[in-house]
Amino acid sequence: MIPDRHLHTWFSEDSNEDPENCIRKAISLDMKDIWFTDHYDIDFPGGAFSFDADRYFKELSALKEKYREKISVHIGVELGLKKDINDKIQALINKYPFEYKIGSVHLMDDKDPYEREKFDMTDREFYRRYFQTALECLENCTGFDTFGHIDYVVRYGYEKDKAYSYEENADIIDRILKHLIENDIALEVNTAGLRKGLKYPHPYPKVLKRYKELGGEKIVMGSDAHTAKDIGADFDSTLTYLYDLGFEHI
């Protein structure tokens, strides 16, 4: 199975999983690599979603050595993006040798989209505001390899994808996709959408088709697993989905 490049452990605020269990699961799936990408969201409200980076590297480096004959363990991070924290992001990634960095948007207007009730707007307004926020973050933050779950916000809409339209947001989404292509940032295909009640992984088909039309080729797959059992979840069906859309290399 192709490697999973997006997963979380007990170093993330929203997971209780032992990293060693993740490695064993990946080995059982015949993965040759595994990429840990625990949450590091600088200035998240309440101080949540960050970890002790020294301990993170110490523990994962020990596991990297322990399992080096069976699988290559990579120490990455999922950076929570905000338009005004690029200096802090650079300080973090310059200090620690992360092997892989996902940039993701987990906040809009300093609130978590997971708490949908805090946003007094329709789903369509909710989604559009998220894409506007994502574009602002991308235009002001640098230093990451991949942009995570571009239409993540749809997980938390009251009507989910019933209110989601690429066409209604094409002006913003196209600018996001062009930015990724021009800056050699990969687009993540994140299978967690399928586990969150959506019809497709992130991004939805029209977004992926548009990415390809614009010349985008860098696709990275991740499960966004927060438990070991979800590592590699829906990878086979998602590969077929991508090949059907015309992507030949993942």
Side-chain angles (χ1 to χ4, degrees):
M1 182 177 285
I2 68 169
D4 195 333
R5 285 179 175 257
H6 190 157
L7 60 97
H8 299 276
T9 72
W10 56 36
F11 284 98
S12 291
E13 188 90 3
D14 52 0
S15 173
N16 295 310
E17 189 59 85
D18 183 334
E20 193 160 11
N21 290 339
C22 296
I23 293 172
R24 290 171 177 162
K25 175 64 174 181
I27 292 170
S28 76
L29 294 171
D30 200 30
M31 290 183 181
K32 305 305 179 188
D33 298 81
I34 187 172
W35 304 76
F36 288 99
T37 56
D38 279 293
H39 287 295
Y40 204 106
D41 285 49
I42 296 167
D43 293 347
F44 197 94
F49 291 102
S50 63
F51 53 77
D52 180 334
D54 291 326
R55 181 181 162 220
Y56 186 63
F57 271 89
K58 180 179 180 180
E59 293 192 14
L60 293 185
S61 295
L63 292 172
K64 179 194 284 273
E65 177 62 22
K66 179 177 179 179
Y67 287 95
R68 65 186 178 86
E69 299 297 332
K70 296 181 178 180
I71 191 170
S72 293
V73 174
H74 304 278
I75 305 173
V77 64
E78 182 178 13
L79 299 164
L81 305 181
K82 295 176 69 178
K83 67 178 181 180
D84 58 351
I85 62 166
N86 193 48
D87 56 339
K88 296 178 181 180
I89 289 175
Q90 300 313 307
L92 178 73
I93 63 179
N94 287 332
K95 182 175 181 180
Y96 294 98
F98 294 107
E99 297 172 69
Y100 175 63
K101 300 172 288 292
I102 302 171
S104 299
V105 177
H106 296 132
L107 292 172
M108 48 195 243
D109 303 324
D110 274 329
K111 293 178 285 190
D112 188 342
Y114 176 81
E115 299 177 295
R116 176 66 178 91
E117 68 282 357
K118 290 187 176 181
F119 297 87
D120 183 19
M121 55 184 72
T122 67
D123 276 355
R124 284 181 168 81
E125 293 167 336
F126 182 54
Y127 300 162
R128 187 167 181 84
R129 179 62 188 137
Y130 180 84
F131 292 129
Q132 290 170 334
T133 301
L135 180 59
E136 291 169 358
C137 290
L138 286 170
E139 290 178 338
N140 288 280
C141 297
T142 60
F144 46 94
D145 307 293
T146 297
F147 186 51
H149 45 54
I150 185 173
D151 40 21
Y152 159 87
V153 69
V154 183
R155 299 180 189 179
Y156 306 116
Y158 293 131
E159 295 188 282
K160 296 189 182 291
D161 47 12
K162 289 181 181 179
Y164 176 31
S165 166
Y166 160 74
E167 288 82 3
E168 288 182 9
N169 300 287
D171 56 326
I172 307 173
I173 292 175
D174 280 8
R175 289 177 64 188
I176 291 172
L177 298 177
K178 289 174 183 177
H179 180 92
L180 299 182
I181 294 165
E182 291 167 2
N183 291 275
D184 198 31
I185 299 169
L187 177 65
E188 182 189 58
V189 174
N190 182 305
T191 64
L194 295 167
R195 304 194 303 279
K196 301 292 184 178
L198 303 181
K199 296 174 184 175
Y200 298 97
H202 306 289
Y204 262 47
K206 289 185 178 179
V207 177
L208 278 167
K209 288 177 181 177
R210 184 59 175 152
Y211 177 67
K212 194 170 191 302
E213 288 172 358
L214 292 169
E217 296 180 340
K218 290 188 82 170
I219 294 288
V220 172
M221 276 180 57
S223 68
D224 206 349
H226 286 66
T227 62
K229 70 179 180 62
D230 286 331
I231 291 172
D234 299 299
F235 272 26
D236 288 343
S237 62
T238 299
L239 279 173
T240 300
Y241 164 68
L242 288 169
Y243 293 144
D244 288 346
L245 290 173
F247 291 95
E248 297 179 356
H249 177 72
I250 311 301

